Structure formats: C-alpha cells, structure tokens
Amino acid sequence: MKERQNSTILTIFLLIGITCIFPVLADTQTQTVTDMSGTEITVPTDIQRIVIACQGGVAQEIVIMGDPDTVVAISSMNLFPMFLKMFPNLKDLPNAGSFDDLNMETILKLKPDVVINSVTAPKGNAKIVENNLPVFQAYTGKASADTIYNEFRAFGKLLNNPEKAEELISYWDEKKKFINDRMKSVPENERKTVFYTSNKDLATDTNWGISFVTTSGGINVAKDLGDAKVNPEKLAEWDPDVLIIRGNTDGTYPSNDIVNNPQLSGLSAIKNGEVYNVPIGGFWWDRPSPESPLGFLWLAKTLYPETFEDVDMVSELKTFFKQFYRYDLTDEEANSILSVNQ
C-alpha cells in the first residue's frame, strides 16, 4: 500500500513538473520582433530558413549577424561581385523576386521562417502576410546614420546575435567620432561643398545623402531640396567644390556623362577634377548598410586628403572584412575596390 502511495505521489509530481515545463518550452520556441515599420512579428527563435526579397544591405546584415546558410532565396546580388566571392553559396540560390514584384509560388515552396522585405514595398508585404508568412520590413535606403542602429539591433534580435549588432554599432560610433574629432581642425569656412548624385540626370537623394556627406565632414548643397532631379542651372548656382557619384544599377558610373555634359562645363568641381565615383565593396558605400563607415572614411579622405592623410583605406577594408564578414581580404582585392577613380 505504501509503495502504491509513493508511486501515486511521484506520478503527481511528474505531471505537475511536465505541466510547468512545457509552457516554458513552448514560449521559447518563438519570439516577437519589431521591424522598421514598427510592426511586431512573431518568428521562430531559431530561424533556419530566410527569404531575402530586397537589397538595402539586408544580405550583409544577415551574414554578419547570422548564418549565410540559412538564406534559401535572395534577390539578385550580381551588382556586388565581391560579396558573392565571399559568400559563394548565395550565388545559385533561387530568386523569389523583390520588393512589390514577388514570386509567391516560389516563396511558399521554400517554406521560410521569415521573409525580409522593404518598408517601401507595401504591396509585396501584403502578399506575404496574406499567405500567413511573417515579413520583417527593413529600411532599405530610408535610414539615417543614426536610425540604422535600430535596424542593426532588430536584426541582432531576429538572428539571436545581439552582441554582434552592438559590436557593429560600436564600430560605427568609433569611425564617426574619429572623423568628427579630426574635422574640428577644419574651419567651417574651409569645409567642402558637395553635390551627391545617383545618375547622369543629376538625381539626388537627400535622405541618405545628407548622412553620407555630413558624417564625412562635407556640406551637402542639396540638403534642403528633398529627393529630386536638379537642373544644370541650379547646380551651377550652387557650384559645389566636389561632385560625388553613385554607381548605376548596371555596375557602371555616369561620371563621363556628367563631366562631358556641356551644360556643366563651368562647374568648379569639373574644372578642378574634383569628380569622384563611390567605391563598392560588399555593398554600395554611399547607401545605408553595415559597410557605410568605410564610405564615410573614404569620402572624408577624398574631401580632406591632408587632414586624413594617415588613414590607410586598404588596412581599413581588411580590418572590417575580417571582423564582420570573417573574410581575409587581400591587398589586391582591397585596391580593386578602391580603383574606381583610376
């Protein structure tokens, strides 16, 4: 009888233990993350399958804070050959579309734990939600040099690596502080005025363009304009000291079209040879992404070569790529990235 009582008591304790433990286990299988649209999404705690349906530095964030092998589909990365060289497993993955133009049939077949898309793709995001999949919306170009920290931290949480997110933020803070401290030696009236353009039609992006130019110590002449095309007359009125040019989406640069435009021949920047293409590493350096501090350093050194004479860009590239991409960049590879103005 006593043995039966002990057995019954033991069974009760076991049932109580199981009842208490299983809800805890269930709770730890998912987590809630807030994306850049301010939307809370529920995703598995241990994400194993990711569809990337946009660019904007998202793939770079995932390989830094997560595992490249968890990516099961990605929009074309052919514009970034160095990135594909570092992570060749991404080269042959399916392309399930991007932004609002998605192939939902492909996405559903891949059974992702989460789809990463852009805050600028409301139609695409709605399609994903309609199919009962969580979508994490990233800034993709709509961040500033400060708000992008929110995205890094969100990806750190999403990918269970908040420590790497904070390490990346510390790197950003370190480089921004370094530039800011150096620029204290340059009087305001000696700071370079800059026009940043993304194509031969003189389109400008002041959303990130202001962060890019200002953080690097320059003065963005179009800072009050908003995103727009600038006519040659307005650019002549500004007559910036330097023109900074973003690469085209086909991998070329419109610098020759701009320099050879007779309507722009009177610009001081063109007459003085102060027209520069922005390098592309694992991503565009003049767009918000983990690599942006390399762009800040490059532009600061370009604008003020004497002030930043001791900055060794080859060394800076090798350090970043090793620390965050886990890749041993060679001098040849670094110099190739920096050679866009030769």
Side-chain angles (χ1 to χ4, degrees):
M1 178 70 70
K2 190 172 183 180
E3 289 181 0
R4 285 184 181 178
Q5 287 178 336
N6 289 341
S7 177
T8 302
I9 292 170
L10 180 60
T11 301
I12 292 170
F13 274 112
L14 284 172
L15 289 172
I16 292 171
I18 290 170
T19 303
C20 292
I21 289 170
F22 271 99
V24 174
L25 291 175
D27 288 344
T28 59
Q29 290 173 0
T30 62
Q31 63 170 330
T32 300
V33 180
T34 302
D35 69 15
M36 297 306 98
S37 72
T39 303
E40 287 189 348
I41 62 170
T42 300
V43 294
T45 303
D46 183 19
I47 290 176
Q48 293 296 316
R49 301 180 65 79
I50 301 173
V51 166
I52 302 176
C54 58
Q55 291 181 353
V58 164
Q60 289 72 16
E61 289 171 290
I62 288 174
V63 300
I64 287 172
M65 286 173 265
D67 181 352
D69 291 336
T70 60
V71 180
V72 295
I74 188 170
S75 55
S76 176
M77 297 296 288
N78 290 335
L79 283 172
F80 313 107
M82 188 67 236
F83 186 73
L84 292 178
K85 185 176 182 179
M86 292 187 290
F87 302 100
N89 61 306
L90 301 178
K91 191 180 300 184
D92 299 319
L93 291 178
N95 183 342
S98 58
F99 295 89
D100 284 328
D101 185 17
L102 301 177
N103 185 329
M104 286 307 305
E105 183 179 357
T106 298
I107 292 174
L108 289 169
K109 283 181 180 178
L110 292 168
K111 298 180 179 179
D113 294 321
V114 65
V115 180
I116 313 294
N117 204 3
S118 171
V119 295
T120 66
K123 293 179 181 178
N125 294 331
K127 287 180 188 177
I128 298 166
V129 173
E130 286 169 8
N131 284 276
N132 299 314
L133 291 174
V135 55
F136 179 98
Q137 299 179 53
Y139 279 131
T140 60
K142 297 302 180 184
S144 71
D146 295 316
T147 59
I148 197 170
Y149 288 5
N150 298 330
E151 181 164 305
F152 293 158
R153 289 189 169 108
F155 268 107
K157 182 176 182 182
L158 185 75
L159 302 170
N160 289 317
N161 199 351
E163 297 83 9
K164 201 66 180 179
E166 294 304 324
E167 184 181 334
L168 181 60
I169 289 168
S170 294
Y171 178 87
W172 273 61
D173 284 341
E174 175 190 332
K175 298 309 175 184
K176 289 197 295 184
K177 183 178 186 303
F178 170 75
I179 294 170
N180 186 60
D181 288 346
R182 282 290 177 92
M183 286 304 300
K184 291 175 182 177
S185 67
V186 182
E188 289 289 337
N189 62 354
E190 293 181 16
R191 299 201 175 189
K192 300 287 184 69
T193 54
V194 178
F195 179 67
Y196 163 64
T197 185
S198 56
N199 58 39
K200 66 180 181 180
D201 296 323
L202 306 180
T204 189
D205 170 10
T206 56
N207 188 60
W208 179 255
I210 291 175
S211 288
F212 178 46
V213 174
T214 304
T215 305
S216 307
I219 299 170
N220 188 325
V221 294
K223 64 182 184 297
D224 298 321
L225 185 64
D227 296 348
K229 290 181 180 178
V230 176
N231 61 52
E233 292 77 19
K234 186 63 179 178
L235 191 55
E237 179 185 326
W238 287 332
D239 194 24
D241 298 314
V242 179
L243 296 181
I244 298 297
I245 300 175
R246 177 188 179 186
N248 289 319
T249 53
D250 62 0
T252 63
Y253 288 89
S255 47
N256 286 337
D257 293 322
I258 292 172
V259 169
N260 295 324
N261 184 340
Q263 291 181 289
L264 303 175
S265 60
L267 291 180
S268 298
I270 291 177
K271 290 190 291 186
N272 297 330
E274 298 278 359
V275 180
Y276 302 98
N277 299 317
V278 183
I280 301 172
F283 193 68
W284 288 304
W285 282 3
D286 58 327
R287 310 300 294 164
S289 83
E291 275 181 73
S292 297
L294 294 174
F296 300 151
L297 287 169
W298 170 83
L299 183 53
K301 187 176 176 69
T302 298
L303 296 178
Y304 310 100
E306 294 181 1
T307 304
F308 294 92
E309 183 179 8
D310 61 329
V311 173
D312 182 345
M313 285 304 302
V314 169
S315 177
E316 292 288 346
L317 263 73
K318 292 173 75 172
T319 297
F320 180 94
F321 277 56
K322 179 67 173 177
Q323 182 176 353
F324 294 106
Y325 289 141
R326 305 172 296 283
Y327 182 82
D328 290 312
L329 194 73
T330 66
D331 286 359
E332 183 181 5
E333 288 169 331
N335 281 310
S336 177
I337 290 170
L338 296 166
S339 68
V340 293
N341 292 296
Q342 295 176 359

